[in-house]
Amino acid sequence: MVDKVAEFLCEYEDLFPTNFTDLKRIIVDLGVMKIMLKLDVKLVKQSLYCLNLKYKEKVRVELGKMLMAIIIEHVEEYDWVSPIVVQEKKHKDEIRICVDLKNLNDVCVHDPFPTPFTDEVLENVGGQEAYSFTDGYSGCHQIKIMSEDRSKTTFMTKWGCFQYTIMPFGLKNVPTIFPRVVVAAVSVSFYILPLGIKFSLCIFILRAPY
């Protein structure tokens, strides 16, 4: 069984990207993100946060990567503006650009999509010969935002303003929209389409033979 699993994973290794440019995005029919706001909200344009000089060049490089991967796009006109916050990754030479979306999140309409109960999931896999865990590679970045809603994600930098074309981390309802799309993708893939989701990790758990 282990050899078969290893052979299977090697055959489909293209499903495990190692950088942003390998992401092909989820098939649009399976789901896109619509950012719905409460009624009569006040548009907020925040000022730029002070950026530590040691991060300046790294931020510029990271923005270039995101533009190349079409994760963000440059904008000239905007209604919402949020500032960025820089976070160091575990590898000290790398950073993560985060957007402070608190004001936008406060006026977003809540999506009540239910997440599965852990005990139900464990019951379903109990007693099976094998089961697997998958970790979506930058999962949020695989789902597009509707074009008319992208301006709400606009953020300001020293190099201009940009908006997300895909779901950014930290935006309200992302934790519910992503599993909604995954459920749809898995359901459809068994009958019609290839899964369309890129994974960074796939762990198989094999039950020892008796």
Side-chain angles (χ1 to χ4, degrees):
M1 172 64 90
V2 174
D3 291 339
K4 290 182 178 180
V5 168
E7 182 180 345
F8 175 79
L9 293 177
C10 289
E11 183 179 354
Y12 294 98
E13 63 179 340
D14 60 311
L15 294 177
F16 302 88
T18 56
N19 56 67
F20 288 143
T21 56
D22 292 334
L23 295 179
K24 301 295 192 298
R25 309 285 185 268
I26 287 177
I27 300 166
V28 176
D29 291 344
L30 295 178
V32 293
M33 182 180 201
K34 181 170 180 59
I35 304 175
M36 297 182 63
L37 304 181
K38 300 173 184 177
L39 298 176
D40 301 322
V41 300
K42 181 181 178 180
L43 302 179
V44 177
K45 294 183 178 180
Q46 292 180 262
S47 301
L48 182 68
Y49 287 165
C50 183
L51 178 65
N52 191 316
L53 290 177
K54 70 177 183 178
Y55 296 133
K56 184 176 179 180
E57 180 60 20
K58 292 181 179 180
V59 169
R60 187 189 66 79
V61 172
E62 193 68 17
L63 288 172
K65 291 179 182 178
M66 296 169 74
L67 282 168
M68 186 175 298
I70 322 180
I71 291 175
I72 59 174
E73 57 191 8
H74 191 270
V75 289
E76 298 291 345
E77 299 181 0
Y78 37 80
D79 296 321
W80 285 86
V81 180
S82 301
I84 64 169
V85 178
V86 176
Q87 180 184 31
E88 288 187 352
K89 293 185 178 181
K90 292 180 180 179
H91 303 290
K92 293 299 182 180
D93 291 336
E94 298 181 7
I95 63 165
R96 178 181 289 106
I97 295 178
C98 305
V99 180
D100 183 357
L101 297 167
K102 182 181 183 300
N103 288 318
L104 178 60
N105 287 339
D106 287 343
V107 297
C108 283
V109 176
H110 176 64
D111 183 348
F113 184 76
T115 53
F117 294 106
T118 304
D119 55 344
E120 290 183 3
V121 174
L122 293 176
E123 274 186 34
N124 290 333
V125 300
Q128 302 299 321
E129 183 179 1
Y131 59 94
S132 68
F133 297 96
T134 51
D135 180 16
Y137 180 84
S138 294
C140 301
H141 286 352
Q142 299 189 45
I143 301 175
K144 291 184 177 180
I145 298 175
M146 295 187 69
S147 56
E148 60 267 31
D149 289 326
R150 294 176 181 176
S151 62
K152 297 168 186 172
T153 67
T154 299
F155 60 93
M156 181 180 293
T157 74
K158 291 180 177 294
W159 299 272
C161 287
F162 305 86
Q163 66 184 17
Y164 278 91
T165 63
I166 45 75
M167 293 198 309
F169 295 100
L171 180 58
K172 186 171 183 177
N173 293 326
V174 165
T176 54
I177 291 175
F178 181 69
R180 186 196 297 276
V181 173
V182 170
V183 168
V186 172
S187 299
V188 173
S189 68
F190 286 128
Y191 305 102
I192 305 173
L193 302 170
L195 187 57
I197 303 174
K198 297 292 185 177
F199 298 101
S200 62
L201 178 66
C202 182
I203 302 175
F204 278 81
I205 309 297
L206 306 178
R207 190 178 69 179
Y210 296 103

